[in-house]
Amino acid sequence: MPIPLQSLNTLGLAAWTDELVRVTGSTQLPAISQAIANKDRFILGGGSNLVLQSNQDAPLALVCLQSSLKGIVRLPAREGFSRLRCASGENWHDFVMWTLAHGLGGLENLALIPGTVGAAPIQNIGAYGVEVGERIEAVHAWDFERHDHVVFPTESCQFGYRHSLFKEISFQGPWNRPRFFITAVDFALAPATKTQPILSYKGITQRLAELGVTEPPLPMQVAHAVISLRKEKLPDPNEIGNVGSFFKNPVVSEEFAKALASQNPGLPVFHQNNQTKLSAGWLIESAGMKGVQRGEAAVSADHALVLTNLGAATARDVLGLAHEIQEAVMARFGLWLEPEPQIIPPI
Ligand SMILES: Cc1cc2nc3c(=O)[nH]c(=O)nc-3n(C[C@H](O)[C@H](O)[C@H](O)COP(=O)(O)OP(=O)(O)OC[C@H]3O[C@@H](n4cnc5c(N)ncnc54)[C@H](O)[C@@H]3O)c2cc1C
C-alpha cells in the first residue's frame, strides 16, 4: 500500500511513497544500510523545503528515510564556547529556543525556521543576516557507501548561500541515492551575555524598539523580534501550505547589480559574505506576478517570494506557476530565478 506524505510536507501536496522508514536509533543504521543497499531512497526531514511530485497510482518508487533521532548533549566547552550535539530529528525551532533558554546565543536570528536540525546544514539555512554554518562545528552522518559513521568538520562542509557540500551531486550522489544521512550536528555557541547581536537587518532594530527593548538586546529578545516579524510576513504552513521562499535571491556581479539598479530605482541590493544579491521577491512583484493564481496555487499577495497551496494544489499547479514566474522575471530583467526547494523527482 502506498504511504501518504501529504501531512509530511508543508506545501501540503498529496504525494505517496512505496516505503517509509523512521530511524529512531543510530544503531539501526548498519542494518537499514544493508537492507536498502540496492534500493532507491530519499531522506525526508520535516518536508518544509520540498515539492513532491507523485500520486497514489504512481507513488515515489523508493524508500523514504526519516530521522526520528532525538536528544541534545553537552560537549566539553572550548575557548569560552559551549558546545552542543543535537540529534538530526529534533525540531529546529525547538532547538533554537532550548539554546536560548539555557543562556546561549548565536541562533536567535534563525528562530521559527521550520524543519529539522538534520536538514539545517543541507542548504545552510539563513535568515536576518545569519547562516547556520557560522555556528556549526561538525556534521555527523551515516555513509551508505562505506556503511559507516563519518564526521565532517565545518571547514569541509563548503557552506555558502543556501548551499553546502551536501547539495553537490558529486558528493551526496543523485537525488534517489543520497550517500549521507545526517545523524547529528555539533554547534559552538557563546554565552548569551557575551553574544554580539546581529542587527544588520533593519527590520529587527525597529521591531525591538516597538517591543520596548532599549538596551543592547539579549539573544532571547532578538529571537522574539524575529519571531514576531516572521509571523507577520510569512504564512504559517499549518494554516496555508507553503515552503517559505520559493526562489533564491540571485547572486550577481556588482556591475550587473549597479546597472540593473540604475534602470530600476528601488531595486533592493544586499551585500553579505562578499556576495551581491538582488531581492527575488522585488523582481517577482515588479514582473507583475504577486498575487497571481494558477489552479490551486498562488503567489502570496503579502510576500511575492512565497507560493501557496490554496487547498488542493497539485505539484503541476505549483511548478507551472513557478515556471511562469521564472519566464516573467527573465523577460523583464534578464535573470533566471533558481528554485530554493528540492523538487522530487527533479524536472
Ligand atoms: C514558512 C517557511 C519559512 C522558511 N524560512 C526559511 C528561512 O528563513 N531560511 C531558510 O534557509 N529556509 C527557510 N525555509 C525552508 C526550510 O524550512 C529549511 O530549508 C529547512 O532546513 C528544511 O528542513 P526540513 O527538515 O523540513 O527538510 P526537508 O524539506 O524534509 O528536506 C530538505 C533537504 O534536506 C535533506 N535532508 C533532510 N534531513 C536530512 C538528513 N537527516 N540527512 C540528510 N539529508 C537530509 C532532504 O533530503 C532534502 O534534500 C522555510 C520554510 C517554510 C515553510
Side-chain angles (χ1 to χ4, degrees):
M1 275 286 281
I3 295 158
L5 298 174
Q6 189 164 24
S7 64
L8 301 181
N9 73 96
T10 62
L11 201 43
L13 296 177
W16 283 264
T17 183
D18 271 353
E19 211 177 327
L20 177 65
V21 174
R22 291 205 165 91
V23 181
T24 53
S26 32
T27 51
Q28 297 172 319
L29 283 164
I32 293 174
S33 197
Q34 293 297 340
I36 66 165
N38 297 314
K39 290 187 181 174
D40 281 352
R41 57 181 171 263
F42 180 71
I43 304 168
L44 177 69
S48 63
N49 212 19
L50 298 176
V51 180
L52 299 174
Q53 309 187 75
S54 77
N55 57 54
Q56 200 163 7
D57 300 327
L60 294 170
L62 44 72
V63 182
C64 246
L65 293 168
Q66 194 177 39
S67 172
S68 292
L69 301 171
K70 299 286 181 192
I72 303 169
V73 176
R74 276 188 188 270
L75 304 171
R78 194 186 288 157
E79 293 166 8
F81 284 87
S82 289
R83 296 166 60 239
L84 301 172
R85 178 164 303 161
C86 184
S88 56
E90 291 285 353
N91 174 275
W92 172 257
H93 175 69
D94 291 348
F95 172 62
V96 171
M97 297 315 283
W98 187 98
T99 63
L100 295 168
H102 285 77
L104 299 172
L107 299 178
E108 54 279 4
N109 295 48
L110 304 176
L112 213 61
I113 297 181
T116 55
V117 168
I122 302 287
Q123 76 155 3
N124 184 24
I125 55 169
Y128 296 96
V130 174
E131 289 178 345
V132 74
E134 296 161 32
R135 310 288 182 252
I136 288 178
E137 242 190 10
V139 174
H140 299 253
W142 174 263
D143 181 346
F144 284 109
E145 209 161 279
R146 290 179 42 231
H147 300 285
D148 205 356
H149 293 279
V150 273
V151 184
F152 299 98
T154 195
E155 314 78 71
S156 67
C157 293
Q158 294 182 15
F159 289 123
Y161 170 60
R162 299 293 189 270
H163 184 77
S164 75
L165 196 56
F166 300 100
K167 290 194 91 175
E168 298 275 346
I169 292 176
S170 58
F171 180 74
Q172 177 70 334
W175 73 274
N176 52 353
R177 287 288 168 116
R179 179 172 171 183
F180 299 103
F181 177 90
I182 294 175
T183 52
V185 184
D186 291 352
F187 296 86
L189 302 173
T193 46
K194 293 197 174 154
T195 299
Q196 187 67 34
I198 310 275
L199 307 173
S200 48
Y201 185 90
K202 66 177 180 341
I204 298 191
T205 25
Q206 197 181 324
R207 185 51 50 98
L208 282 164
E210 286 160 11
L211 293 172
V213 179
T214 47
E215 301 294 317
L218 286 167
M220 186 64 99
Q221 293 170 316
V222 174
H224 284 308
V226 166
I227 290 168
S228 114
L229 285 168
R230 291 184 71 100
K231 281 189 172 164
E232 201 174 272
K233 288 178 168 217
L234 291 168
D236 178 352
N238 293 318
E239 286 164 19
I240 183 150
N242 75 92
V243 284
S245 305
F246 201 92
F247 297 100
K248 295 181 198 174
N249 288 322
V251 176
V252 297
S253 69
E254 187 61 28
E255 296 71 44
F256 184 88
K258 275 192 183 140
L260 206 61
S262 70
Q263 293 154 15
N264 298 279
L267 168 69
V269 179
F270 313 113
H271 297 97
Q272 197 189 353
N273 299 337
N274 298 323
Q275 285 184 321
T276 305
K277 285 186 251 168
L278 305 178
S279 160
W282 190 92
L283 297 171
I284 295 168
E285 186 170 350
S286 304
M289 293 301 292
K290 193 173 183 179
V292 167
Q293 185 180 336
R294 294 288 179 261
E296 286 278 305
V299 184
S300 165
D302 299 321
H303 197 318
L305 204 44
V306 179
L307 303 197
T308 58
N309 176 355
L310 299 175
T314 60
R316 186 186 289 240
D317 289 338
V318 174
L319 296 175
L321 179 57
H323 190 72
E324 203 179 318
I325 291 170
Q326 287 170 311
E327 289 194 323
V329 170
M330 178 54 122
R332 172 90 164 74
F333 299 105
L335 280 166
W336 189 253
L337 294 179
E338 208 185 313
E340 189 177 305
Q342 194 179 353
I343 298 159
I344 298 297
I347 37 176

